[in-house]
Amino acid sequence: MQNKDTKKKIGILTSGGDAPGMNAAIRAVVRTATFHNIQVLGIRRGFEGLMTADFREMTAKDVSDIIHRGGTILRTARCEDMLTPNGPDKAAQVCQVLALDGLVVIGGDGSLNGAAQLARRGVNVYGIPATIDLDINYSEYTIGFDTAVNTGMDAVNKIRDTSGSHERCSVVEVMGRNCGQIALWCGMAGGAEDVMIPECNEQVMDASRLIRQIMENRGKGKHHNLILVAEGVAENFGDSEALAREIERITGIETRATILGHLQRGGAPTAADRMHAGMMGYKAVELFQNGVQNRVIVMKDGRYDHLDIFEALETEKPYNSRLYDIIKVLSI
Ligand code: F6P
């Protein structure tokens, strides 16, 4: 048995928008660390809590009964201070005072950038990508995406019923301010007529192509239309209600808007999200245990892998229109 004073110690926090599966990732980190006799400090409210040293020690028992729960038991916050040099300075000092040998950061792109800021200040960090948006360039998967898409698809199924009965056009707004992945996947899985995403410049400010398509669909005998709109596009029209009014005004087809909003951020994680969370959480601690520093756990070519955090953050991923093109073929 190791002496408590010589025991290695890691911190763990969740940051940014929550994502279903974060709890399963916390569980995996705490349990794997406990297995290796590593002490774990659970930091509350992300980087905000780190700056004020708001933490408690976590044991294997503290993460019982959370694998199936949405949200995050550690709470989360969007921490503006991390965008200034002072914030990371303060957070890095706290890591030093707490004598952390490593810090696991579970969150989206902004959070992993925050982790990199700490790495620049000598903190040994491990990033686990978790965001419903799937907008991280260096990983093919982010924890929470599958659950959010399934929630979106379930809503689209229900809207499809009523849209069909009333022969209406339905505009369904899903989350994604800068990224259209949720809209694309919900559009594919829900059989949408069209999908409007921020990556597609011609759609961002102009609905004329969409409206032309809806009119053509009527000519082809389609009784209703399902249009998936990412939040980032809807904002350019005012909101989805305004877009729906514009479609109705020009086409004469009754049009309704539904904004799914934060519904997509909650709920029990799917099996896929629990699987990714378990594997990525395990992998982060395994790397720590093996002395490999400053890594981000990623999905690459369908396999769990890890990248240097600084290199990862420099990765660029051009928009690939293939999924959109296929959705359009399948919606004829
Ligand atoms: O980052 C995930 C996300 O849900 C985005 O899709 C959305 O634009 C944003 O968070 C909403 O953030 P908030 O909950 O802070 O309003």
Side-chain angles (χ1 to χ4, degrees):
M1 203 35 199
Q2 241 176 323
N3 177 316
K4 197 165 164 41
D5 291 331
T6 62
K7 225 178 175 181
K8 285 188 198 154
K9 196 196 289 178
I10 59 171
I12 178 170
L13 61 82
T14 49
S15 160
D18 62 351
M22 277 183 163
N23 277 330
I26 296 169
R27 172 182 179 272
V29 169
V30 172
R31 292 263 165 103
T32 311
T34 307
F35 176 82
H36 290 296
N37 200 28
I38 300 164
Q39 189 183 0
V40 185
L41 304 187
I43 294 146
R44 297 186 190 91
R45 291 178 295 103
F47 293 113
E48 256 179 45
L50 181 60
M51 284 177 207
T52 54
D54 182 3
F55 69 90
R56 70 183 158 107
E57 187 165 346
M58 294 184 89
T59 64
K61 194 156 187 316
D62 291 322
V63 291
S64 293
D65 276 336
I66 64 166
I67 195 167
H68 60 301
R69 297 220 174 104
T72 157
I73 59 162
L74 288 174
R75 312 274 186 253
T76 184
R78 295 194 190 277
C79 180
E80 300 290 324
D81 277 359
M82 280 303 279
L83 302 174
T84 70
N86 277 348
D89 284 351
K90 214 192 300 177
Q93 268 165 24
V94 174
C95 291
Q96 212 178 358
V97 172
L98 295 178
L100 294 184
D101 300 299
L103 176 69
V104 178
V105 174
I106 304 172
D109 206 31
S111 306
L112 300 187
N113 267 292
Q117 292 295 335
L118 297 185
R120 279 195 189 97
R121 288 159 175 82
V123 181
N124 174 28
V125 297
Y126 299 86
I128 298 183
T131 163
I132 64 165
D133 286 353
L134 191 61
D135 62 347
I136 288 185
N137 291 345
Y138 38 90
S139 182
E140 286 158 16
Y141 193 74
T142 60
I143 295 165
F145 177 72
D146 187 61
T147 308
V149 166
N150 276 286
T151 301
M153 184 190 67
D154 186 45
V156 169
N157 288 343
K158 289 171 178 155
I159 291 166
R160 173 181 275 287
D161 289 344
T162 172
S163 185
S165 308
H166 288 266
E167 299 182 56
R168 282 174 176 157
C169 174
S170 293
V171 173
V172 184
E173 180 185 319
V174 292
M175 274 193 164
R177 199 162 287 147
N178 305 310
C179 180
Q181 287 296 334
I182 297 180
L184 285 169
W185 277 63
C186 287
M188 177 65 120
E193 268 62 41
D194 212 336
V195 183
M196 296 181 84
I197 54 171
E199 292 89 337
C200 193
N201 288 335
E202 59 180 297
Q203 297 179 331
V204 169
M205 302 301 286
D206 184 9
S208 55
R209 201 180 55 103
L210 168 71
I211 289 170
R212 224 177 18 252
Q213 173 78 62
I214 293 169
M215 286 158 103
E216 276 172 28
N217 286 348
R218 183 167 46 188
K220 282 193 242 162
K222 278 206 179 206
H223 295 299
H224 67 104
N225 286 272
L226 263 169
I227 314 299
L228 262 291
V229 181
E231 173 191 13
V233 173
E235 280 168 3
N236 294 321
F237 294 91
D239 56 22
S240 292
E241 297 278 358
L243 176 62
R245 278 196 301 276
E246 183 69 353
I247 295 171
E248 184 166 310
R249 187 180 68 77
I250 299 175
T251 64
I253 298 171
E254 258 196 308
T255 305
R256 295 285 187 271
T258 308
I259 300 169
L260 299 186
H262 287 82
L263 202 80
Q264 298 151 98
R265 286 249 293 269
T270 57
D273 273 324
R274 296 180 204 194
M275 170 66 97
H276 296 309
M279 295 300 286
M280 288 182 166
Y282 174 87
K283 187 122 192 135
V285 179
E286 190 186 49
L287 289 168
F288 170 79
Q289 186 66 358
N290 292 337
V292 189
Q293 300 204 336
N294 294 329
R295 309 303 284 181
V296 187
I297 319 306
V298 298
M299 175 72 78
K300 196 166 167 259
D301 301 328
R303 297 163 62 100
Y304 299 104
D305 204 342
H306 55 97
L307 300 171
D308 172 81
I309 190 159
F310 301 115
E311 276 173 33
L313 291 172
E314 275 166 22
T315 310
E316 285 186 21
K317 190 165 71 180
Y319 165 60
N320 177 351
S321 66
R322 188 164 158 73
L323 181 52
Y324 178 78
D325 296 341
I326 295 172
I327 291 170
K328 292 305 293 171
V329 170
L330 301 187
S331 73
I332 56 168

